Amino acid sequence: MTRKTALILGARSDIALAVAREFAAAGWDLQLAAREAGRLADDRADLELRHGIAVSLHDFDALAIEGHTAFVAGLPVLPDLVVCAVGFMGDQTASEGDPAAAVLVMRSNFEGPASILAVLGNAFEARGSGTLVGISSVAGERGRAVNYIYGSAKAGFTAFLSGLRNRLAKKGVHVVTVLPGFVATHMTEGMDLPARLTARPEEVATAIRSAVERRRDVIHVRRIWRFVMLVIRAIPERVFKTMRI
Amino acid sequence: MKLSGWGRYPVLEARLGAPRDLDALGEHVRAGAAIARGNGRSYGDSAVSPDNTVHMRHFHHMLAFDPTTGQLVAEAGVLLADVIAAFLPRGWFPAVTPGTKFVTLGGMIAADVHGKNHHRDGSFASCVDWIDLMDATGRLHRCSRDENAELFGWTLGGMGLTGIILRAAIRLRPVETGWIRQTTKSAPSLEAAMAALEASDEATYSVAWIDCLGTGAQLGRSLVMLGEHATRQELSGPQAANPFAMGPRRRLSVPVDAPAALLNGLTVRAFNALYYWKGTRGAGTRLVGWDGYFYPLDGILGWNRIYGRRGFVQFQCALPPDTAEAGLRALLRTTSQAGAGSFLAVLKRFGTADGPGQFSFPMPGYTLALDFPVRAGTERLMDRLDAITLEHDGRFYLAKDARMSARTLEQSDPRTAIFRAGRARMGMRPAFASAQSERLDL
């Protein structure tokens, strides 16, 4: 049996590397794509040594949209699975005051990821198989005062993934939306996150593999988030705007 | 944040950083009073610096493996458990392993750990080909027997006080299976146990588990356990078809702190009696899996909590051949009289191998390891055991220590002054420091 290949976009993030380890342990070959992919050389050696799989590194800039088609055409093989872990939280206060900062957050979380998944989705559609995993966020489920720039971009990405799934479902291509909730990563280092709501990157990776194997559509990582978001979505806007949440 | 070692005593307030790359690591080191921390499995305060503890978890990459020599190059934060998981299926096993697999490569080098094969193969240093060490300015130095040999020697067993161990090349040993042919013999006394260990010099692995509550004629009664890597011919059935696969191991865990009162003379006595009885009945030879053989306590996650909230302390000394029997007798008698009890009492004969480690713990003779819950009277007992060790020309294992005095260390080991002076001369003091090095004036 030939081995399957997973492409991981935004591969330098903690979640992406945990996903890489998860699929490597399951015997998948990997394509790791990120800006300055050369900095992943140690990770490549480690994954190959531990798991006896093949790993290739690819320079990839989610914001350089004009290069996305060429990027996909240039991959050594069209992967069986894509996990998009591209994202950038930015600084909400800066985003409020500086349109350029806000646009960067929006492009990094919506435009860039949607663009590359559109190209890959078309290639998968032509082949008639494949799985696309987009890591979005619970922040996209409702606009909150403290992170709505990031949240609005993630909302766009979540809607994009939903639409892509519904279009490609008839073509043998599956799309998974991941809404991780809080994750203890470099991005959230130093933030005071509630322990029960905060997943480790390895939990996210395990949840993603399980979702891929079981062809789930939308997943949270820790179940408690389903209830948290149920409550948050149920609060009337009239009340929500008076809350500090 | 609060940090402690595996014994959960002492608990210290410490600043903890976890750099992600070399530049950030260099910055941490230049801040001074730095000590690297791996998986926190040294028992006391070796891997805690109140001002600057540097967690090595992000340096966890395996970098290269040469199947012709068995040499693995890896970063210091790699766990031994991961090395086994990756390489045992390919027929390789650590050449030297301590009693837990949840230790990092850097930690094993810093403590120059030993295993059940010390009498034949020496300490962990024997399988270390080279180390990349970061100095106080953030510069890296390749250290080996030929290159920066002095630094290499002081780093093996140097408790992280010579710099930050970043990478190392270690050699693994080829094995045909994941199984160990274990032979258990019961020894009714200390004398018999020592005789059995002396007589088993040919065995690859040897260790004695002592029922440390035995008194009088039963003082030091033991189970002597010998082991050999099983060959393929020794396996049959499904094992032979898949010689490295083990069934899933049942994991127990200690989810909460045991009330200290639970661990008293009676329960320890019962446990020891049961273990000894079980061992005696199981005497003879049988095949056991590598995990249960080398890492029996790893099967009980969080076993350190069994001693209760106040934690526990380990005592481990080495005694030279001439005084070993008298010294061990005095140590065991004192422990037994105190009724303090130790679940774990391990006796091991060290070999004469002269490794490169200049501050390593092992020396020819015997080593005895005991552990005690921290409570009233423990400190006094430990002081007594220290004094007995000194009277018998013994020395102490710093990876286990949490409370010894600087004076005791100085008296036990003439290398202490040389190590201290060398640290000062090579710019390592006070650039690298742990709570332990401050306490012991290293």
Side-chain angles (χ1 to χ4, degrees), chain A residues 194-228:
Chain A
R196 282 194 66 198
L197 295 178
T198 307
R200 289 171 296 108
E202 293 74 28
E203 287 178 66
V204 180
T206 307
I208 288 176
R209 187 155 80 89
S210 157
V212 168
E213 281 168 0
R214 295 161 61 196
R215 297 181 80 78
R216 299 272 305 276
D217 296 321
V218 181
I219 61 161
H220 290 89
V221 174
R222 292 207 165 181
R223 280 183 145 182
I224 186 168
W225 275 101
R226 283 168 49 192
F227 302 102
V228 172

Side-chain angles (χ1 to χ4, degrees), chain B residues 9-10 12 43-46 312-317 370 372-375 377-390 396-409 435-437 439-440:
Chain B
Y9 173 86
L12 301 168
Y43 283 72
D45 48 1
S46 316
F312 71 105
V313 285
Q314 270 256 350
F315 173 85
Q316 185 167 358
C317 69
L370 306 165
F372 306 101
V374 174
R375 57 183 168 213
T378 304
E379 187 53 38
R380 212 171 43 212
L381 172 64
M382 299 290 280
D383 286 342
R384 285 280 302 130
L385 300 179
D386 286 355
I388 293 168
T389 305
L390 290 177
F396 303 94
Y397 192 11
L398 294 182
K400 302 286 182 77
D401 159 62
R403 32 67 52 195
M404 198 195 333
S405 72
R407 197 176 132 77
T408 302
L409 177 66
Q436 180 180 51
S437 77
R439 173 166 52 77
L440 295 176

Side-chain angles (χ1 to χ4, degrees), chain B residues 53-74:
Chain B
T53 307
V54 183
H55 206 295
M56 297 296 285
R57 66 167 170 264
H58 292 300
F59 298 90
H60 62 182
H61 299 98
M62 297 186 195
L63 301 172
F65 181 70
D66 181 347
T68 60
T69 60
Q71 189 197 61
L72 170 69
V73 177

Side-chain angles (χ1 to χ4, degrees), chain B residues 343-428:
Chain B
F343 264 114
L344 265 188
V346 176
L347 178 68
K348 162 81 197 143
R349 193 168 75 86
F350 276 151
T352 51
D354 202 14
Q358 294 300 306
F359 205 47
S360 295
F361 163 66
M363 65 180 187
Y366 280 84
T367 181
L368 176 71
L370 306 165
D371 50 29
F372 306 101
V374 174
R375 57 183 168 213
T378 304
E379 187 53 38
R380 212 171 43 212
L381 172 64
M382 299 290 280
D383 286 342
R384 285 280 302 130
L385 300 179
D386 286 355
I388 293 168
T389 305
L390 290 177
E391 282 160 25
H392 294 86
D393 300 323
R395 70 163 71 136
F396 303 94
Y397 192 11
L398 294 182
K400 302 286 182 77
D401 159 62
R403 32 67 52 195
M404 198 195 333
S405 72
R407 197 176 132 77
T408 302
L409 177 66
E410 186 96 42
Q411 285 176 338
S412 71
D413 196 337
R415 301 175 305 174
T416 308
I418 308 171
F419 185 64
R420 182 191 304 121
R423 287 216 325 127
R425 177 167 48 82
M426 292 186 272
M428 301 162 181

Side-chain angles (χ1 to χ4, degrees), chain B residues 290-314:
Chain B
W290 61 271
D291 204 3
Y293 180 79
F294 289 105
Y295 315 110
L297 287 173
D298 286 353
I300 309 169
L301 296 175
W303 67 263
N304 53 343
R305 305 181 76 155
I306 206 162
Y307 288 99
R309 236 172 15 146
R310 291 170 67 187
F312 71 105
V313 285
Q314 270 256 350

